């Protein structure tokens, strides 16, 4: 990226010219014939999703998921429900980030049932969602001020069980984006990313118990309802922490950066979060493309408006490659320490020092 603005005035100039469209009122996502009606972003999910209006072009193009990731910088847990019409899965996984290994991955697959295991229409409003699927049981309970996640499943003669409680501060904003795909009026990518949820709980595997405390553990929600092409590539970076100001006061801070998905004319999935408020900024890129062998080199991130200027020093590449021919999920989720500066809407510059966060590069056929 060239000619990156370095001053706040440059940001104001960019904002005036930007075509990014913010939605603030409830609006339908799809027409009855499946055509996309809205493209842009919002601070809460205001897009009315009617899954009966989705017109998938292939059996796997319609996908719905509720994905939760939490970490204290040493251990990471991922809890995921996904329905891709032909089937899906529910899973809970814990990873030792310091040792660089998966401790246990509990996954229950299912085929069919596209209208049986139906997740909620929105992820950022009170809802409750849970089933018993095969050997796995789960319950996701979202309230106005908190979330509770529970999962249980036997694995290799032991039982995996986890339960987490996360805080949702009053009025917590997120970034919800709807991105179309050029050349197909029925394809779209709608996600909600909600950060800055302090979290506590436990993950058990047999007699081993891993505990998490709210002082250093944060939960992120990645909620998706999409109708996509078969092949996709994306980057996704996300993190939350506490920042201490010049008066010694702590503030909840987080960021969300995603790019390379669909048509970003009306929105980019990029935002800062500070004390529960979203601060929208422009497109982000990484200076050096990490593929194929630079994933453990420094990642230098820059935004077109100069407001996001952070470098990640990697500590662990969580690499996975599930390949069964027409279905492939090839992921490098790189974890590390982030340093640099970011700029809020008001022009205030925040210094970020040794913040744990991640960015992933994904190539999918799904």
């Amino acid at each position: 990226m060239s000619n990156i603005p370095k001053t706040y005035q440059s940001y104001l100039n960019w904002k005036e010219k930007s075509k990014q469209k913010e939605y603030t009122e409830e609006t339908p996502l799809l027409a009855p014939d499946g055509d996309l009606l809205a493209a842009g972003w919002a601070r809460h999910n205001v897009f009315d999703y009617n899954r009966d209006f989705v017109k998938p072009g292939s059996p796997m193009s319609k996908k719905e998921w509720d994905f939760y990731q939490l970490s204290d910088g040493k251990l990471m847990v991922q809890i995921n429900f996904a329905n891709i019409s032909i089937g899906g899965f529910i899973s809970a996984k814990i990873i030792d980030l310091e040792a660089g290994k998966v401790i246990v991955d509990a996954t229950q697959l299912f085929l069919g049932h596209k209208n049986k295991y139906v997740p909620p229409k929105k992820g950022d409003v009170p809802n409750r969602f849970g089933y018993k699927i095969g050997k796995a049981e789960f319950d996701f309970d979202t309230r106005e001020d908190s979330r509770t996640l529970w999962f249980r499943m036997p694995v290799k003669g032991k039982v995996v069980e986890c339960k987490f409680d996360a805080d949702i501060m009053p009025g917590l904003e997120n970034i919800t984006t709807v991105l179309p795909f050029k050349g197909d009026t029925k394809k779209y990518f709608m996600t909600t990313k909600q950060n800055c949820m302090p979290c506590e709980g436990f993950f058990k595997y047999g007699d081993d118990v891993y505990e998490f405390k709210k002082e250093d553990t944060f939960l992120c929600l990645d909620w998706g309802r999409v109708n996509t092409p078969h092949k996709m590539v994306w980057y996704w970076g996300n993190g939350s922490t506490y920042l201490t100001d010049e008066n010694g006061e702590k503030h909840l801070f987080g960021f969300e950066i995603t790019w390379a998905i669909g048509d970003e004319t009306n929105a980019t999935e990029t935002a800062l979060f500070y004390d529960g408020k979203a601060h929208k900024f422009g497109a982000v890129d990484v200076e050096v493309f990490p593929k194929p062998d630079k994933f453990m080199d420094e990642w230098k991130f820059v935004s077109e408006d100069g407001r996001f200027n952070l470098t990640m020093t990697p500590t662990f590449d969580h690499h996975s490659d599930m390949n069964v021919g027409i279905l492939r999920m090839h992921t490098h989720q790189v974890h590390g320490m982030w340093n640099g500066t970011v700029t809020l809407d008001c022009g205030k510059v925040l210094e970020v020092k040794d913040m744990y966060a991640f960015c992933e590069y994904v190539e999918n056929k799904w």
Side-chain angles (χ1 to χ4, degrees):
M1 302 176 79
S2 60
N3 300 321
I4 300 167
K6 300 297 184 183
T7 67
Y8 186 59
Q9 184 59 51
S10 297
Y11 157 65
L12 296 177
N13 294 339
W14 166 83
K15 186 176 182 181
E16 184 178 350
K17 297 176 182 178
S18 173
K19 296 181 180 179
Q20 296 202 22
K21 182 175 182 179
E22 180 180 0
Y23 286 80
T24 59
E25 304 291 337
E26 291 288 325
T27 187
L29 179 73
L30 301 170
D33 65 358
D35 276 357
L36 184 65
L37 299 177
W41 74 280
R43 300 170 192 270
H44 301 280
N45 189 347
V46 299
F47 303 103
D48 184 18
Y49 169 70
N50 187 330
R51 68 195 309 268
D52 294 330
F53 290 173
V54 182
K55 308 299 180 187
S58 69
M60 292 189 296
S61 62
K62 176 184 175 182
K63 295 173 266 289
E64 302 170 322
W65 68 81
D66 287 18
F67 173 81
Y68 294 93
Q69 181 165 300
L70 63 98
S71 178
D72 60 5
K74 302 178 182 66
L75 295 167
M76 179 183 71
V77 174
Q78 296 176 331
I79 303 173
N80 193 11
F81 172 87
N83 186 335
I84 58 172
S85 296
I86 64 169
F89 64 91
I90 175 68
S91 67
K93 176 193 298 187
I94 186 168
I95 298 168
D96 187 331
L97 296 174
E98 295 183 319
K101 67 176 184 179
V102 177
I103 296 172
V104 63
D105 181 355
T107 299
Q108 175 67 61
L109 302 174
F110 63 87
L111 292 175
H113 301 297
K114 66 179 181 180
N115 294 317
K116 181 177 181 180
Y117 304 129
V118 179
K121 290 178 60 176
K122 294 186 178 182
D124 61 350
V125 297
N127 65 81
R128 192 161 189 177
F129 171 51
Y131 290 101
K132 186 178 188 303
I133 303 176
K135 296 180 179 180
E137 299 176 79
F138 71 100
D139 183 25
F140 301 162
D141 188 7
T142 298
R143 299 171 292 277
E144 287 287 349
D145 59 357
S146 63
R147 295 181 185 273
T148 298
L149 310 175
W150 176 80
F151 174 95
R152 191 177 190 277
M153 179 180 172
V155 177
K156 297 181 179 179
K158 301 179 182 180
V159 173
V160 167
E161 183 175 10
C162 58
K163 184 179 180 182
F164 295 98
D165 295 292
D167 294 337
I168 300 175
M169 67 186 303
L172 179 65
E173 295 181 348
N174 59 65
I175 180 166
T176 299
T177 54
V178 179
L179 304 175
F181 291 87
K182 291 182 177 178
D184 192 331
T185 59
K186 292 175 172 52
K187 292 287 193 299
Y188 61 90
F189 199 90
M190 177 175 66
T191 61
T192 294
K193 300 297 200 312
Q194 190 169 45
N195 287 38
C196 299
M197 293 180 283
C199 183
E200 66 182 4
F202 67 85
F203 191 110
K204 293 181 181 179
Y205 179 41
D207 294 331
D208 297 326
V209 182
Y210 306 89
E211 296 186 346
F212 296 78
K213 301 181 183 301
K214 288 182 181 178
E215 288 77 10
D216 56 10
T217 304
F218 300 91
L219 176 70
C220 168
L221 166 66
D222 171 10
W223 174 99
R225 304 293 183 264
V226 307
N227 188 26
T228 67
H230 180 53
K231 294 182 180 180
M232 293 189 65
V233 172
W234 70 72
Y235 288 85
W236 174 36
N238 191 285
S240 298
T241 190
Y242 288 108
L243 294 183
T244 303
D245 66 16
E246 59 275 11
N247 298 317
E249 296 181 356
K250 292 171 64 174
H251 301 265
L252 267 172
F253 168 76
F255 68 82
E256 160 62 24
I257 53 173
T258 296
W259 71 100
I261 296 175
D263 180 0
E264 296 183 323
T265 301
N266 296 288
T268 57
E269 196 174 317
T270 50
L272 305 172
F273 304 99
Y274 193 67
D275 288 340
K277 301 301 180 184
H279 299 251
K280 188 73 182 69
F281 61 93
V284 167
D285 206 344
V286 62
E287 283 189 347
V288 177
F289 186 66
K291 184 184 175 182
D293 58 358
K294 297 183 183 299
F295 291 100
M296 292 301 290
D297 291 352
E298 282 192 344
W299 294 42
K300 171 65 176 175
F301 299 89
V302 287
S303 65
E304 63 182 345
D305 54 16
R307 296 179 57 196
F308 192 88
N309 188 358
L310 296 177
T311 298
M312 175 177 69
T313 302
T315 56
F316 172 53
D317 176 9
H318 180 213
H319 176 224
S320 60
D321 190 2
M322 186 277 289
N323 191 351
V324 289
I326 63 169
L327 183 64
R328 186 184 188 191
M329 299 187 72
H330 184 205
T331 302
H332 287 268
Q333 190 182 71
V334 181
H335 301 257
M337 306 306 290
W338 295 56
N339 289 271
T341 60
V342 297
T343 305
L344 302 179
D345 286 347
C346 63
K348 181 179 177 64
V349 177
L350 304 178
E351 185 174 5
V352 177
K353 291 183 178 180
D354 294 330
M355 173 185 177
Y356 159 74
F358 73 90
C359 189
E360 67 182 24
Y361 173 75
V362 177
E363 297 176 348
N364 272 0
K365 293 191 295 184
W366 63 333

